[in-house]
């Protein structure tokens, strides 16, 4: 046990807002608060290099780009992001392209790697004189239902610190500790394991087609998504509990070619596999996402499967709503917005969950030849046919795919 440095009670070190976690949620919130000259401190358990190289999301919705642009946080993505407006479905019954950018509200995605966005947000936050401590793990949150919450954290050298503040923003992701600070009887917790897993791959290879590709195959789903001109993300549905190391380079590309039907549509552009990991599709929603002076944001508040690429977009939307609420309260003495944080965010969270669940059913037919599996695959085919042929179905898809 290291030495304890007490920063509590109120001292000149006491930040108004303490933010746990430097992912998209914590960094957008920190930037909005600093732009309003509100004092805040971000505590992040990983190193700066680690968070600036952690590859995850890439597809940013129009609303996300709007929020980042309106707050002076979009220079990098406007300069280097690529606009995407088309996705493609490949099945045993043929393939079709859907130009979602010309359906629904006519919105498109901007593809910009999450780690690049995180790098931009850290640089801008420091420019705005923001305080951030890397390699500082928050161990627990205390008294969040009082006017003086405080946290205990531990830095890499084992030194233990305590900070007090006025408000805590729990932006510490899926595996963070913030949501555990909400007592069991103070929030309803909704969970679902979708029973589907993906081998998530990052390949040092340019995209093989100018569209997101979703392949439905008897061996399971495969996906292709651009990340940058030289990096492409691929997904392969795999059994639960699968060891990602058991896939050789050759087997990965063979299976991707097979499921993507490379024989028919042209071979994929291969490259070194830079990263691999298994993602289990699961969902989690808490209601409310605030308790006393603790507010949960991003994956800490609700976890969504990556099937519809919504997680980072929800994180930015929630950070925007919370940022506005905190500024209105601390600068304008209006507590209304802050009190309404959960009510403002949760309908959009549920709508994203519903669409993500719809996408899981669209992309994953059950394996096997028993009656139920055959019937459900019939439904899956009907759904894909509706998407191929019905303009109103395409409008529904486009509106939900890019929007929230
Ligand atoms: P993050 O990004 O996980 O950041 C949380 C941060 O908190 C830190 N932390 C702590 N710090 C201090 N003390 C503690 N006790 C701490 N515990 C944790 C962590 O180190 C971390 O830095 O959460 P945030 O900010 O809520 O952002 C959420 C997004 O990262 C996530 O939803 C997306 O990446 C999901 N996602 C996608 N979302 C999209 O919108 N579009 C996409 O195209 C997309 N693709 C994806 C994805 C997620 C994926 N994986 C890996 C699940 C693709 C994949 C493969």
């Amino acid at each position: 046990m290291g030495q304890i440095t007490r920063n509590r009670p109120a001292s000149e070190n006491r930040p108004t807002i303490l933010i746990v976690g430097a992912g998209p949620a914590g960094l957008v919130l920190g930037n909005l608060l600093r732009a309003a000259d509100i004092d805040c401190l971000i505590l992040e358990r990983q190193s700066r290099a680690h968070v600036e190289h952690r590859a995850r999301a890439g597809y940013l919705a129009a609303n996300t780009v709007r929020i980042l642009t309106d707050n002076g946080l979009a220079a990098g993505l406007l300069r280097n992001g690529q606009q995407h407006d088309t996705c493609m479905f490949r099945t045993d019954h043929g393939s079709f392209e859907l130009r979602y950018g010309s359906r629904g509200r006519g919105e498109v995605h901007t593809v910009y790697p999450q780690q690049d966005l995180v790098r931009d947000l850290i640089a801008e936050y420091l420019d705005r004189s923001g305080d951030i401590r890397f390699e500082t793990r928050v161990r627990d949150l205390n008294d969040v239902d009082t006017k003086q919450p405080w946290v205990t954290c531990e830095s890499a050298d084992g030194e233990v610190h305590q900070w007090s503040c006025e408000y805590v923003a729990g932006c510490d992701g899926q595996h963070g500790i913030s949501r555990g600070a909400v007592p069991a009887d103070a929030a309803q917790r909704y969970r679902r394991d979708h029973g589907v897993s993906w081998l998530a791959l990052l390949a040092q290879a340019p995209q093989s087609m100018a569209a997101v590709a979703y392949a439905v195959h008897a061996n399971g789903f495969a996906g292709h998504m651009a990340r940058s001109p030289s990096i492409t993300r691929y997904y392969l549905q795999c059994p639960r509990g699968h060891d990602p190391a058991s896939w050789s380079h050759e087997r990965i590309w063979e299976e991707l070619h097979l499921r993507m039907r490379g024989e028919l549509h042209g071979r994929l552009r291969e490259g070194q596999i830079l990263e691999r990991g298994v993602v289990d599709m699961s969902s989690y929603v808490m209601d409310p996402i605030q308790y006393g002076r603790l507010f949960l944001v991003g994956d800490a508040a609700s976890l969504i499967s990556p099937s519809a690429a919504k997680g980072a977009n929800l994180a930015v939307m929630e950070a925007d709503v919370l940022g506005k609420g905190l500024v209105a309260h601390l600068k304008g003495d209006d507590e209304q917005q802050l009190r309404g944080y959960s009510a403002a965010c949760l309908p959009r969270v549920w709508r994203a969950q519903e669409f993500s669940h719809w996408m899981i059913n669209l992309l994953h037919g059950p394996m096997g030849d028993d009656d139920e599996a055959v019937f459900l695959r019939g439904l899956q085919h009907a759904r894909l046919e509706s998407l191929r042929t019905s303009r109103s179905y395409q409008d529904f898809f486009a509106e939900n795919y890019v929007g929230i």
Side-chain angles (χ1 to χ4, degrees):
M1 176 85 150
Q3 182 202 345
I4 293 189
T5 310
R6 282 193 175 271
N7 294 311
R8 175 178 179 267
S11 71
E12 63 280 11
N13 285 335
R14 180 180 185 240
T16 309
I17 317 284
L18 202 139
I19 299 174
V20 188
L27 290 165
V28 169
L29 179 63
N31 271 291
L32 302 192
L33 296 173
R34 286 307 306 140
D37 223 16
I38 291 172
D39 177 33
C40 61
L41 169 66
I42 302 180
L43 301 175
E44 166 58 52
R45 74 173 169 188
Q46 301 286 1
S47 67
R48 181 170 178 179
H50 180 97
V51 297
E52 289 187 343
H53 289 93
R54 192 170 46 196
R56 284 186 176 170
Y59 277 71
L60 301 181
N63 187 49
T64 306
V65 174
R66 231 174 349 249
I67 292 170
L68 295 171
T69 306
D70 289 351
N71 291 288
L73 300 171
L77 74 91
L78 294 177
R79 193 170 50 243
N80 299 319
Q82 306 165 46
Q83 299 234 311
H84 275 243
D85 67 353
T86 306
C87 59
M88 177 187 291
F89 295 86
R90 294 180 175 179
T91 76
D92 281 339
H93 305 276
S95 108
F96 63 93
E97 270 192 11
L98 203 167
R99 287 205 51 198
Y100 58 85
S102 48
R103 309 292 321 154
R105 284 193 296 259
E107 293 177 327
V108 302
H109 282 113
T110 300
V111 177
Y112 190 59
Q114 180 168 322
Q115 67 273 28
D116 293 359
L117 178 64
V118 162
R119 200 174 306 136
D120 297 348
L121 292 170
I122 290 174
E124 189 59 39
Y125 178 73
L126 294 174
D127 262 12
R128 296 177 185 188
S129 308
D131 192 352
I132 181 163
R133 311 288 165 96
F134 291 102
E135 298 182 68
T136 303
R137 181 176 67 89
V138 174
R139 292 203 318 210
D140 47 52
L141 310 181
N142 306 283
D143 297 342
V144 292
D145 54 345
T146 71
K147 286 190 171 165
Q148 200 180 73
W150 56 283
V151 309
T152 310
C153 60
E154 188 173 348
S155 46
D157 56 10
E159 198 171 329
V160 177
H161 304 256
Q162 290 176 343
W163 291 93
S164 69
C165 56
E166 285 183 38
Y167 293 93
V168 181
C171 306
D172 48 350
Q174 171 183 8
H175 302 295
I177 49 122
S178 298
R179 71 160 88 112
V182 180
D185 58 0
Q188 177 83 39
R189 289 160 161 88
Y190 303 85
R191 292 187 185 86
R192 179 166 167 87
D193 178 347
H194 300 284
V196 172
S197 298
W198 286 357
L199 179 64
L201 305 157
L202 266 190
Q204 176 82 55
Q207 61 192 90
S208 296
M209 57 212 102
V212 174
Y214 299 111
V216 175
H217 191 276
N219 285 8
F221 163 78
H224 159 281
M225 276 140 224
R227 278 297 183 263
S228 73
S230 57
I231 307 279
T232 304
R233 195 177 263 299
Y234 285 97
Y235 294 113
L236 280 170
Q237 187 182 351
C238 64
R240 183 56 58 93
H242 211 63
D243 174 9
S246 66
W247 289 72
S248 67
H249 174 92
E250 290 71 25
R251 183 174 167 218
I252 287 172
W253 286 107
E254 217 171 274
E255 196 61 27
L256 283 169
H257 283 302
L258 179 75
R259 296 190 196 181
M260 285 283 172
R261 297 165 178 86
E263 294 299 307
L264 273 177
H265 302 289
R267 289 189 66 76
L268 303 172
R269 298 162 86 174
E270 295 187 18
Q272 192 194 342
I273 301 297
L274 302 171
E275 266 186 50
R276 59 177 74 196
V278 170
V279 182
D280 297 329
M281 304 280 137
S282 59
S283 296
Y284 180 93
V285 180
M286 249 175 88
D287 182 0
I289 50 176
Q290 65 198 87
Y291 172 69
R293 291 191 165 214
L294 168 65
F295 295 85
L296 302 174
V297 191
D299 281 7
S302 70
L303 181 67
I304 188 160
S305 83
S307 60
K310 295 279 183 226
N313 293 295
L314 286 174
V316 172
M317 179 277 289
E318 289 160 8
D320 182 50
V321 174
L322 180 58
K324 284 182 180 138
L326 284 167
V327 172
H329 172 49
L330 294 166
K331 294 281 177 179
D333 214 20
D334 165 15
E335 212 182 341
Q336 208 59 17
Q337 284 189 54
L338 198 54
R339 284 182 190 279
Y341 170 65
S342 298
C345 294
L346 282 167
R348 286 185 263 185
V349 168
W350 275 113
R351 204 170 147 192
Q353 289 283 1
E354 192 278 325
F355 182 68
S356 173
H357 187 252
W358 182 89
M359 279 292 276
I360 289 174
N361 286 322
L362 185 79
L363 301 177
H364 306 91
M367 313 285 196
D369 288 318
D370 57 278
D371 283 355
E372 188 182 339
V374 172
F375 182 80
L376 289 174
R377 282 204 297 274
L379 294 185
Q380 182 189 22
H381 175 53
R383 222 173 265 138
L384 283 158
E385 275 301 285
S386 298
L387 200 53
R388 185 174 70 81
T389 56
S390 158
R391 287 175 73 82
S392 46
Y393 217 73
Q394 291 167 0
D395 284 335
F396 158 82
F397 177 84
E399 199 176 316
N400 285 278
Y401 192 53
V402 199
I404 299 174

